[in-house]
Amino acid sequence: MPSPSDLASTWFASRNWKPFAFQRSVWAAIQRGESGLLHASTGSGKTYAVWLGALRAFAQLHDARRPAPLQVLWITPMRALASDTARALQAPLDELGLNWTIGVRSGDTTSAERARQARRMPSTLVTTPESLTLLLTREQAAADFASLRLVVVDEWHELLGNKRGVQLQLALARLRRWQPQLVVWGLSATLGNLPHALEVLLPAGGRLVQGRQDKRILVDTLVPSAIERFPWAGHMGLKMLPQVSAEIEASANSLVFTNTRAQAELWYQALLEAHPEWAGLIALHHASLARHARDWVERSLKQGTLKAVVCTSSLDLGVDFLPVERVLQIGSAKGIARLLQRAGRSGHAPGRTSRVTLVPTHSLELVEAAAARQALAAGHIEARYSPRLSMDVLVQHLISMALGSGFRPAELFEEVRSTWAFRDLEESQWQWALSFVRNGGSSLTAYPDYQRVAAHPDGIWRVASERLARRHRLGIGTIVSDASLQLKYWSKGGGGKSLGSVEESFIARLKPGDALLFGGRILELVRVENMTAYVRRSTARKAAVARWNGGRMPLSSELAQALVERLDAAAHGRYEGAEMHAVRPLLTLQASWSALPTQRTLLAETLHSRQGWHLFLYPFAGRMANLGLANLIAWRVSRVQPLSVSIAVNDYGFELLAASPVDWAAHLPAALAADNLLEDVLASLNAGEMALRRFREIAQIAGLVFGGYPAAQKSTRQLQASSGLFYEVFRKHDAGNLLLGQARDEVLREELEIERLHQQLQKMSGLRLDLHALRRPGPLAFALLVEGMRETLSTEKLADRIARMVADLEKAASRTMSDLAGTERRKS
DNA sequence: GACCTGCTGCGGTGTG
């Protein structure tokens, strides 16, 4: 066995590798007992930087003939990553002849393995934030972690910005109390605010180590062959099918990322229709497919037997250990960090180039593609911020800590305040949380189910009953998903094979006999019972595409800013790159009928049509903030003049449409004022309704609403009903309940992006209003018109209507374009 | 001849 200090070098030498400087510096830091955050691009050797550092620093401390006690805790955000990581960590142990053992602890861990771990922890445990918290609720937790030296938080950027990260912050505080010398290392991809990422992980300080930055990223675009025939709006992008097929054909294996599950289903279907010979060679992957189907795809990808996989962000992570040659992104990537993440799926090894190819789904996405490349080159990556003072997570944590050996309030207060998320927690808020877990706050004192923790005479607070303890363990975690129906094949003897899950609301629109597209198959609904939808294979040609209500990601500020810069350049006649040249005719048309948005102007357009009086405004603030602005302006104008408007938004701007005459131009300057923003936004929206929806999640995290036992999950309606009840009770009888205020704050911060909205208004006040009365909708307005009609019209009627609009526009557009071409010829 | 809207992640009791 090599001497401890040579251990890492020996291993590297055995594979003919040379350690990078950053790896050496991490080894040295761990040796000195320092903590830190390591930032490096994917595939650059982060894992071995910490792992070999740990072996080098700690392995020699133990008798080589006996297994070492728990030394290292390795946290990953995904179960799949946990088992892959465990395998990767095993190799150096075998080669170096070390006696360390590696274990995995997650929801997948078998009961036999759990029992083994209860008797003796492995020397390294790979686990998830949720499983870590569960381990902390055990009676013997302090003994389990008594010998712990190092915690590694893998993919910290994935946890930093959400409540899972907050839960982890609390768990780390607990581990640090037991082990004040604990060394903690975070591994993070590129973020716009790494110092913040470091501070949240290590509030007491740590080093930021920059790993290899020489990853070459190549971003290119599939430019549609005929821009005059390319849609002005839409997001499916199937028009690009032939070009995408050709790219897939030309490489050994590809990942095709789409933005929604329904889009993935449609693309998979379309690719198979165009290339029946690809059956069995291409696959589909998204979060609603059954586990076994996803596992098969991941396995086949690793074995290299698949030509292409159409997927959603379900494959953003977790394919670290497999080779992908080509990455295609259908539609907007929405943000630079996401684009980077996806590009990193290819060329996943030190020194290799990562490449991602953008596939626009409508004309203006060509500008976005050019913008994305430019923003990436300039290093404008989005930031992520930790939530603060999430009272629901705190309430859950208090009960978790009251399990096992219980807690003393004064000690736990200090511990909780040592985290970044709760460092500003006030005594009064703490007291509120304590009383809430003890007696349900001021409104639920009469219900024993909400007297979850009892203070014992010895000063220790413990969970009141075994029944409550069990219920609590079932509800640990901060991910709240909508209840969904299982989708299974119908068979006479009972349930057949599971296909995945669909949303109640989607199935509710179908009746038995209707066809649906799911998991790449056309199926026929047989019946629905017990939260299960039974189906059989169908021969129908047309089918409803399964839809889910997922999150809505707005275009990031960084990407939006880069987009406006590209448009600004175009307004000044500068067109750079293949994308901008391709989209030039369309931008010229926009400039001719109206104007192009620039960095110094705010473009507004008005139009009077058969539908009514339209206003189009383009703040480029992302769809959420745009929606907030739209409501705000509609509300402010309505205070001056009675008004009923309908609103349409996209990532670029919004449309207000009034049925009666409005002089939008006259109202705009006052309506855009940045004063009284918060009050006016709250008044303009149905904030109560939004907060109620948000409260549903909060109530589940805080453990007010029990989601049911694993085999008997409750339906959305049941959960909605009970959380709605709590919401009303608190509002009437316990207005000081901090969970109510949290629901409101989360709506403002996450659903309306109030901060961004505010910045946008201030920015807009410095812009010159560039107002144009349109005679017909231009390219920017067209997308919003389609968006607005979508709400009121069925799909077929919408297609008809668009076809008519396009036919009208077509003539005018080609006339304008040929006029312009003539002018340019004369000029030259 | 242009249409299909929104992602991901975790956890797991008691057995008449």
Side-chain angles (χ1 to χ4, degrees):
Chain A
M1 183 172 159
S3 82
S5 54
D6 296 340
L7 206 141
S9 326
T10 307
W11 186 76
F12 267 74
S14 74
R15 357 201 91 200
N16 271 333
W17 288 356
K18 257 179 77 176
F20 300 122
F22 82 88
Q23 290 171 320
R24 290 180 175 282
S25 93
V26 171
W27 298 343
I30 293 178
Q31 194 80 51
R32 290 193 298 269
E34 292 172 10
S35 299
L37 179 68
L38 170 57
H39 157 236
S41 41
T42 55
S44 62
K46 287 194 291 252
T47 304
Y48 294 118
V50 246
W51 180 232
L52 291 171
L55 295 182
R56 187 173 176 265
F58 309 136
Q60 77 275 21
L61 299 174
H62 296 280
D63 181 348
R65 285 159 304 182
R66 299 222 311 260
L70 183 67
Q71 309 285 301
V72 178
L73 205 52
W74 194 290
I75 318 279
T76 76
M78 276 174 66
R79 288 182 304 228
L81 226 49
S83 41
D84 282 348
T85 303
R87 264 193 297 280
L89 301 186
Q90 185 68 50
L93 298 183
D94 295 345
E95 291 168 33
L96 293 167
L98 291 172
N99 56 349
W100 281 24
T101 50
I102 298 184
V104 174
R105 178 65 173 235
S106 75
D108 292 338
T109 306
T110 60
S111 50
E113 176 63 17
R114 279 161 195 256
R116 214 169 320 155
Q117 289 172 8
R119 282 196 303 276
R120 175 181 202 104
M121 280 286 199
S123 350
T124 292
L125 186 67
V126 189
T127 186
T128 61
E130 289 79 7
S131 284
L132 171 58
T133 301
L134 277 161
L135 288 173
L136 292 178
T137 67
R138 306 198 300 181
E139 190 86 44
Q140 74 273 32
D144 282 345
F145 295 107
S147 54
L148 186 67
R149 295 170 179 279
L150 170 69
V151 178
V152 180
V153 183
D154 205 352
E155 314 274 4
W156 171 234
H157 61 281
E158 285 292 322
L159 298 167
L160 166 66
N162 55 46
K163 291 181 186 176
R164 296 184 77 195
V166 175
Q167 185 180 15
L168 183 57
Q169 291 179 47
L170 290 165
L172 286 174
R174 167 50 51 104
L175 294 174
R176 283 193 189 105
R177 188 152 73 77
W178 287 333
Q179 296 292 345
Q181 301 306 313
L182 189 68
V183 178
V184 175
W185 278 85
L187 308 181
S188 173
T190 308
L191 282 176
N193 56 342
L194 283 165
H196 175 71
L198 173 69
E199 192 189 2
V200 174
L201 185 68
L202 299 162
R207 306 157 57 91
L208 184 59
V209 175
Q210 300 283 350
R212 272 164 66 94
Q213 299 300 311
D214 57 351
K215 190 94 202 153
R216 293 228 317 280
I217 312 273
L218 185 69
V219 180
D220 57 4
T221 307
L222 291 189
V223 176
S225 42
I227 192 75
E228 320 75 63
R229 293 273 177 264
F230 203 63
W232 289 8
H235 65 272
M236 280 299 170
L238 286 169
K239 191 120 195 176
M240 294 297 286
L241 185 68
Q243 276 168 273
V244 169
S245 294
E247 295 298 319
I248 292 175
E249 185 74 275
S251 24
N253 47 29
S254 315
L255 287 181
V256 181
F257 282 102
T258 62
N259 283 338
T260 72
R261 285 166 277 189
Q263 193 180 21
E265 293 274 355
L266 276 167
W267 265 89
Y268 175 74
Q269 198 68 12
L271 283 169
L272 265 190
E273 244 167 63
H275 292 268
E277 75 278 11
W278 284 353
L281 290 178
I282 66 172
L284 177 65
H285 193 280
H286 60 68
S288 294
L289 296 177
R291 236 347 235 300
H292 63 84
R294 297 181 54 168
D295 287 346
W296 179 83
V297 174
E298 288 162 31
R299 248 192 340 267
S300 309
L301 255 177
K302 284 181 192 172
Q303 289 162 359
T305 54
L306 287 176
K307 189 153 187 60
V309 178
V310 183
C311 60
T312 58
S313 25
S314 55
L315 285 183
D316 263 355
L317 292 176
V319 284
D320 267 15
F321 304 96
L322 56 90
V324 180
E325 197 174 297
R326 205 81 162 73
V327 174
L328 296 139
Q329 162 71 40
I330 315 269
S332 172
K334 304 280 184 182
I336 309 302
R338 265 163 64 91
L339 192 63
L340 206 55
Q341 177 82 29
R342 291 183 174 180
R345 298 302 97 201
S346 74
H348 194 279
R352 287 185 51 196
T353 299
S354 291
R355 173 181 179 196
V356 57
T357 301
L358 301 171
V359 182
T361 60
H362 61 76
S363 304
L364 289 169
E365 269 181 5
L366 282 161
V367 187
E368 235 185 80
R373 186 169 46 240
Q374 190 215 6
L376 192 63
H380 293 156
I381 315 292
E382 292 82 10
R384 288 191 189 169
Y385 297 95
S386 166
R388 294 175 61 246
L389 300 175
S390 309
M391 298 307 287
D392 51 349
V393 184
L394 180 62
V395 163
Q396 189 187 94
H397 185 70
L398 288 187
I399 299 163
S400 297
M401 294 302 104
L403 287 160
S405 49
F407 67 81
R408 289 178 192 278
E411 282 172 14
L412 188 55
F413 184 47
E414 282 315 302
E415 185 182 310
V416 166
R417 294 230 312 173
S418 74
T419 63
W420 189 91
F422 295 101
R423 62 182 180 174
D424 298 328
L425 185 71
E426 288 166 17
E427 177 69 29
S428 59
Q429 296 168 308
W430 173 251
Q431 289 304 332
W432 176 85
L434 282 177
S435 87
F436 192 72
V437 299
R438 188 176 191 175
N439 56 32
S442 60
S443 55
L444 302 174
T445 41
Y447 303 93
D449 267 6
Y450 299 103
Q451 297 165 16
R452 293 182 280 176
V453 176
H456 289 248
D458 57 3
I460 296 186
W461 291 41
R462 294 191 182 86
V463 165
S465 74
E466 189 47 43
R467 192 181 70 88
L468 288 173
R470 205 162 50 228
R471 265 176 60 147
H472 181 76
R473 287 203 176 91
L474 281 170
I476 282 183
T478 59
I479 300 173
V480 177
S481 11
D482 278 341
S484 53
L485 298 181
Q486 289 299 307
L487 195 69
K488 286 185 177 165
Y489 277 125
W490 173 249
S491 77
K492 289 220 180 66
K497 198 167 155 188
S498 172
L499 287 154
S501 55
V502 278
E503 263 172 38
E504 282 171 307
S505 58
F506 171 70
I507 287 293
R509 292 206 299 268
L510 304 177
K511 48 186 190 314
D514 283 356
L516 64 148
L517 177 64
F518 180 94
R521 299 184 176 93
I522 298 191
L523 304 164
E524 177 192 322
L525 182 65
V526 180
R527 63 199 296 175
V528 180
E529 58 187 30
N530 288 334
M531 300 294 287
T532 307
Y534 293 97
V535 295
R536 63 165 73 102
R537 294 299 278 262
S538 160
T539 49
R541 297 278 305 151
K542 265 184 95 79
V545 184
R547 294 261 151 66
W548 293 266
N549 294 319
R552 305 189 157 185
M553 250 170 333
L555 188 72
S556 79
S557 297
E558 285 73 9
L559 191 45
Q561 175 57 33
L563 177 63
V564 175
E565 282 169 24
R566 293 297 87 203
L567 291 171
D568 187 291
H572 293 91
R574 292 199 314 275
Y575 290 85
E576 289 154 21
E579 298 93 346
M580 294 306 289
H581 282 291
V583 76
R584 182 169 190 160
L586 195 80
L587 297 185
T588 311
L589 186 71
Q590 169 72 30
S592 150
W593 288 2
S594 163
L596 285 167
T598 71
Q599 291 181 280
R600 296 174 177 227
T601 54
L602 172 65
L603 176 63
E605 298 171 331
T606 58
L607 175 70
H608 180 205
S609 75
R610 283 217 310 270
Q611 290 173 285
W613 283 260
H614 308 253
L615 168 71
F616 302 96
L617 204 71
Y618 307 98
F620 292 90
R623 60 172 304 127
M624 300 199 201
N626 280 343
L627 179 63
L629 281 168
N631 275 293
L632 179 72
I633 290 168
W635 183 78
R636 284 178 173 173
V637 173
S638 75
R639 286 206 301 178
V640 185
Q641 164 182 2
L643 185 70
S644 96
V645 292
S646 60
I647 293 175
V649 277
N650 61 22
D651 276 321
Y652 302 164
F654 59 84
E655 175 205 17
L656 298 181
L657 169 60
S660 49
V662 194
D663 185 356
W664 290 114
H667 289 298
L668 261 187
L672 290 173
D675 345 324
N676 295 325
L677 174 67
L678 193 59
E679 296 83 345
D680 285 4
V681 165
L682 286 174
S684 71
L685 287 154
N686 195 346
E689 179 62 32
M690 293 173 84
L692 169 61
R693 249 184 294 133
R694 201 77 200 183
F695 185 77
R696 225 177 77 203
E697 286 184 19
I698 292 174
Q700 272 197 66
I701 295 173
L704 287 172
V705 175
F706 179 52
Y709 287 102
Q713 298 284 338
K714 294 186 178 167
S715 71
T716 308
R717 207 171 321 133
Q718 284 170 299
L719 294 176
Q720 249 163 1
S722 35
S723 64
L725 223 54
F726 281 111
Y727 188 75
E728 282 313 311
V729 168
F730 291 159
R731 266 173 23 124
K732 286 205 187 93
H733 308 292
D734 183 12
N737 191 302
L738 297 183
L739 298 177
L740 286 180
Q742 194 192 326
R744 198 195 77 147
D745 290 349
E746 285 184 19
V747 165
L748 287 175
R749 209 180 53 236
E750 286 161 40
E751 288 178 41
L752 289 167
E753 295 197 295
I754 191 83
E755 187 54 31
R756 187 171 180 185
L757 207 153
H758 185 68
Q759 284 168 4
Q760 189 64 39
L761 275 177
Q762 287 194 322
K763 189 168 141 198
M764 277 155 57
S765 67
L767 301 179
R768 181 174 61 77
L769 190 65
D770 187 15
L771 187 72
H772 294 263
L774 298 177
R775 284 167 58 204
R776 54 182 83 80
L780 281 169
F782 183 84
L784 284 165
L785 277 177
V786 171
E787 195 67 43
M789 292 187 308
R790 188 169 289 151
E791 312 238 312
T792 51
L793 295 175
S794 71
T795 309
E796 286 91 322
K797 281 192 194 141
L798 179 63
D800 285 353
R801 179 77 70 85
I802 289 170
R804 250 184 293 136
M805 280 166 56
V806 166
D808 288 349
L809 280 175
E810 181 84 332
K811 281 175 243 149
S814 58
R815 226 179 304 128
T816 309
M817 284 201 204
S818 57
D819 288 356
L820 287 168
T823 321
E824 298 224 332
R825 265 199 305 280
R826 276 195 299 282
K827 260 195 247 160
S828 60

